[in-house]
């Protein structure tokens, strides 16, 4: 939906403002930080992908009138440097409506091109599955809790 074109940015801003999401997960959206045109929920959490504070890689918003914040995980101790650079954030929330526990993992995965890499597609898939399981473990995921995976998975 986004390719750094200002018309696409306008479309994204309009979509956010018109839908008023309960949860919003963005990747490569540093341009959105501080925008006065966007009417987002009060609570914001973000993971900065590197030392440049203007280079926010992954952002997750949620509406505090619908969810209670329980815990978060910023990916800072992930061993995979490509994930660390691109960003991941996990949130554990409780629905105020039905008390369901919701684990959100918002990620920006690295490119793993099979032709340029010795890994097979199966190995890449297993690596990603392992990383996602690690994120859920950091959030103390329990069977029966809800999981929302969102992000830019590239290939």
């Amino acid at each position: 939906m986004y390719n750094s074109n200002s018309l696409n940015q306008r479309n994204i801003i309009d979509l956010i403002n018109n839908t008023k999401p309960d949860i919003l997960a963005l990747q490569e959206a540093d341009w959105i930080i501080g925008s006065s045109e966007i009417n987002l929920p009060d609570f914001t959490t973000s993971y900065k992908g590197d030392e440049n504070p203007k280079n926010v890689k992954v952002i997750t918003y949620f509406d505090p009138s619908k969810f209670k914040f329980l815990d978060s995980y910023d990916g800072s101790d992930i061993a995979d440097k490509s994930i660390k650079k691109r960003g991941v954030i996990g949130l554990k929330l409780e629905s105020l409506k039905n008390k369901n526990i919701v684990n959100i993992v918002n990620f920006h995965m690295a490119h793993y091109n099979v032709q340029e890499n010795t890994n097979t597609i199966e190995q890449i898939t297993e690596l990603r599955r392992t990383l996602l399981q690690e994120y859920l473990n950091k959030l103390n995921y329990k069977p029966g809790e809800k999981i929302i995976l969102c992000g830019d998975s590239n290939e």
Side-chain angles (χ1 to χ4, degrees):
M1 182 172 192
Y2 173 69
N3 68 6
S4 75
N5 175 308
S6 62
L7 177 59
N8 284 338
Q9 285 182 359
R10 176 81 260 152
N11 290 340
I12 292 169
I13 290 168
D14 290 345
L15 177 67
I16 292 168
N17 288 335
N18 291 334
T19 59
K20 302 202 184 315
D22 296 342
I23 298 170
L24 175 64
L26 302 169
Q27 306 79 38
E28 297 185 65
D30 51 315
W31 60 271
I32 213 167
I33 299 295
S35 173
S36 60
E37 297 182 69
I38 298 174
N39 181 18
L40 289 170
D42 295 333
F43 188 93
T44 302
T45 186
S46 64
Y47 173 81
K48 293 174 178 51
D50 58 31
E51 297 302 315
N52 181 351
K54 293 181 181 176
N55 196 9
V56 176
K57 299 294 186 183
V58 179
I59 309 163
T60 307
Y61 297 92
F62 72 89
D63 185 341
S65 72
K66 300 194 175 169
F67 295 96
K68 175 183 171 185
F69 173 81
L70 299 176
D71 199 3
S72 67
Y73 169 62
D74 70 1
S76 60
D77 62 347
I78 289 289
D80 187 306
K81 289 185 171 82
S82 62
I83 298 298
K84 227 176 182 175
K85 181 179 177 189
R86 287 177 172 261
V88 61
I89 188 149
L91 293 176
K92 184 179 280 278
L93 308 175
E94 180 181 12
S95 168
L96 296 177
K97 181 178 180 180
N98 58 22
K99 303 298 183 194
N100 282 335
I101 303 298
V102 181
N103 295 272
I104 302 167
V105 178
N106 183 8
F107 56 85
H108 184 189
M109 293 285 190
H111 292 272
Y112 292 104
N113 187 323
V114 174
Q115 277 89 29
E116 298 173 7
N117 199 313
T118 57
N119 292 336
T120 65
I121 194 70
E122 291 80 13
Q123 290 168 320
I124 293 167
T125 300
E126 181 59 21
L127 170 65
R128 290 180 172 179
R129 188 200 66 72
T130 301
L131 287 170
L132 291 172
Q133 185 61 54
E134 184 177 349
Y135 306 154
L136 290 172
N137 289 344
K138 296 289 185 176
L139 289 170
N140 296 310
Y141 167 77
K142 306 275 187 294
E145 295 177 348
K146 307 298 182 193
I147 301 171
I148 299 174
L149 299 178
C150 39
D152 182 347
S153 62
N154 285 303
E155 288 79 38

